[in-house]
Amino acid sequence: MEALKQAIRDIPDFPKEGILFKDITPALEDRVVFRKMIDALRARYKDQKIDAVAGIEARGFVMASALAYVLGAGLVLIRKPGKLPYQTHRKTYALEYGTDAMEIHVDSLKTGQNVLLVDDVLATGGTIAAAVDLIQSNFKANIVEVAFMVELDFLKGREKLKGTNVLIHSMVNF
Ligand code: AMP
């Protein structure tokens, strides 16, 4: 996945000062890198009987969609509040300043389904911890793994998932 690592662009001070933003758009725009990334994830999960790939708004949708297609799985959307039209479960979580929340339709997952959870970047881990909790608190589905394009090791995001015994896979680490 060296090609993926090379294709990720650093944007200093975005969206605010002090944040080094990992811009994945060049990796998506590169036809070779994008295909390699989806092929590698397909190879990793093809024998795991994945029923649903759940993507986190918004950049998580990109990978989740292509991956659901190649795995022959359904695609589940985890979205910011107020975006999903049907009845939802909601999980509120703490940000550096204030709170945020995400939602999932109440009928998105079925008992016993194997779910793969996907987002672009694992940073502090707050978002993924909330998404895992949203699924585990409301459904009797099995989270096979959570997959990221990028993990920022120094932010120790995976520590937020300790105690959930959910497995984490990152394609590249910085
Ligand atoms: P987290 O801090 O792990 O809750 O990250 C929240 C979300 O913000 C992730 O889904 C990422 O898409 C995004 N994010 C956070 N930090 C960065 C960063 N340094 N570069 C790119 N995306 C980021």
Side-chain angles (χ1 to χ4, degrees):
M1 281 289 100
E2 195 51 39
L4 173 59
K5 199 165 192 171
Q6 296 295 329
I8 289 162
R9 173 165 62 189
D10 284 350
I11 312 285
D13 300 319
F14 181 89
K16 51 185 178 186
E17 216 169 307
I19 306 281
L20 183 63
F21 192 85
K22 293 291 181 188
D23 177 18
I24 61 156
T25 62
L28 303 177
E29 289 162 5
D30 184 317
R31 71 181 86 194
V32 176
V33 173
F34 184 57
R35 180 177 286 268
K36 266 193 186 162
M37 195 172 73
I38 298 301
D39 286 350
L41 290 171
R42 177 183 177 275
R44 184 176 180 88
Y45 297 113
K46 68 182 170 42
D47 299 322
Q48 302 243 38
K49 298 186 166 56
I50 304 291
D51 298 298
V53 181
I56 300 177
E57 184 167 358
R59 288 179 297 272
F61 291 171
V62 177
M63 252 207 316
S65 171
L67 192 54
Y69 180 81
V70 296
L71 290 174
L75 175 65
V76 170
L77 305 184
I78 295 177
R79 300 206 62 181
K80 296 280 164 59
K83 303 277 190 180
L84 289 169
Y86 184 56
Q87 293 167 45
T88 59
H89 295 298
R90 178 180 293 199
K91 170 72 187 173
T92 303
Y93 58 102
L95 295 175
E96 203 176 347
Y97 300 102
T99 61
D100 206 347
M102 60 186 120
E103 296 184 342
I104 186 170
H105 275 151
V106 294
D107 59 355
S108 283
L109 297 170
K110 314 279 179 288
T111 296
Q113 281 191 323
N114 289 324
V115 187
L116 178 64
L117 193 50
V118 172
D119 203 0
D120 64 332
V121 175
L122 174 57
T124 66
T127 304
I128 195 65
V132 165
D133 192 45
L134 183 64
I135 292 175
Q136 291 185 331
S137 305
N138 296 294
F139 301 95
K140 292 192 174 69
N142 169 44
I143 300 175
V144 173
E145 198 159 65
V146 296
F148 298 94
M149 290 172 71
V150 175
E151 177 172 358
L152 303 176
D153 295 340
F154 64 99
L155 292 174
K156 301 188 181 352
R158 54 174 67 224
E159 288 183 7
K160 290 244 170 65
L161 287 182
K162 271 189 185 158
T164 64
N165 61 51
V166 165
L167 301 173
I168 302 168
H169 172 62
S170 303
M171 305 190 81
V172 300
N173 295 69
F174 288 96

